[in-house]
Amino acid sequence: DLEIAVKVVIVGNGAVGKSSMIQRFCKGVFTRDYKKTIGVDFLERIIEVNCEEVRLMLWDTAGQEEFDAITKAYYRGAQAAVLAFSTVDRVSFDAIRSWKKKVEDECGEIPMVIVQNKIDLVDQAVVDAEEVEMLARELHCRLYRTSVKEDLNVRQVFQYLAEKYLSQ
Ligand code: GDP
Ligand code: MG
């Protein structure tokens, strides 16, 4: 079986929209109060990259982000990562550097992308577009602005990570 499977971890502070993003991408729905409390550690979706099928396994955290209690098992074998923050949560933006470091400490140099979610709330933004772009440049990560709520740019994030993973 030549199928390629890629483990992707989605990190960031609580409430930035990680679980919603996984749910959206894997099931195509936006559920306002989706909570990962039981059952699966990851959801998966098969996408096509350069005419090859790639199985993306998107690993969710169980809401313990703020306690620095994400287990080693969560990061183990991760091959790509999403660093997510919210347009309306300054603290989540300021935490992106430390999330990147955490991923690097656990996984080494793997493809990463910065995601500014909740872009539908841009009227209430607590970060400048420019400072976000500066951070992305500094951290050598591509930046995507997404709205999980409006299904904007979500697919593109995972397509990019899969392509980047395959091209290394
Ligand atoms: P997590 O803690 O990072 O997993 O965040 P959740 O996925 O649980 O989402 C936290 C809250 O933000 C929920 O009420 C979601 O409905 C909401 N949310 C997620 N994505 C968006 C978005 O793109 N726009 C808006 N307005 N709300 C969102
Ligand atoms: Mg969650």
Side-chain angles (χ1 to χ4, degrees):
D1 189 0
L2 296 174
E3 188 190 77
I4 301 158
V6 185
K7 174 175 176 177
V8 183
V9 291
I10 292 91
V11 300
N13 285 10
V16 301
K18 301 181 299 298
S19 297
S20 306
M21 181 171 298
I22 294 167
Q23 173 98 345
R24 163 70 85 189
F25 183 67
C26 295
K27 292 187 182 158
V29 290
F30 177 80
T31 311
R32 188 166 298 279
D33 54 8
Y34 168 68
K35 283 192 183 64
K36 193 269 168 192
T37 46
I38 42 162
V40 294
D41 293 314
F42 64 88
L43 292 178
E44 56 183 25
R45 178 168 166 184
I46 294 171
I47 63 168
E48 196 171 292
V49 181
N50 308 327
C51 302
E52 285 188 278
E53 284 196 344
V54 178
R55 180 186 300 271
L56 294 182
M57 296 171 294
L58 306 191
W59 284 58
D60 198 4
T61 54
Q64 73 281 59
E65 302 91 338
E66 310 296 356
F67 305 102
D68 197 28
I70 298 176
T71 59
K72 297 254 177 216
Y74 178 75
Y75 291 103
R76 190 173 302 126
Q79 292 147 306
V82 172
L83 313 172
F85 73 96
S86 162
T87 300
V88 292
D89 179 351
R90 180 75 210 185
V91 175
S92 73
F93 173 71
D94 293 335
I96 287 293
R97 263 193 202 81
S98 62
W99 281 113
K100 179 164 188 274
K101 184 172 183 314
K102 179 93 181 160
V103 170
E104 282 169 352
D105 288 349
E106 301 288 343
C107 311
E109 297 276 326
I110 58 174
M112 288 186 223
V113 64
I114 296 175
V115 168
Q116 175 176 2
N117 188 40
K118 308 198 188 184
I119 203 66
D120 55 288
L121 302 177
V122 71
D123 291 351
Q124 303 159 50
V126 293
V127 287
D128 288 343
E130 221 169 287
E131 64 180 331
V132 178
E133 283 153 24
M134 269 176 57
L135 181 71
R137 271 201 299 277
E138 180 196 320
L139 298 182
H140 307 290
C141 288
R142 186 179 287 194
L143 166 68
Y144 282 91
R145 295 189 169 94
T146 65
S147 169
V148 171
K149 186 178 181 181
E150 296 179 354
D151 201 6
L152 189 77
N153 265 341
V154 175
R155 188 184 55 77
Q156 285 83 342
V157 168
F158 297 105
Q159 187 75 32
Y160 167 74
L161 278 180
E163 285 169 13
K164 190 147 163 89
Y165 173 76
L166 288 183
S167 69
Q168 59 181 1

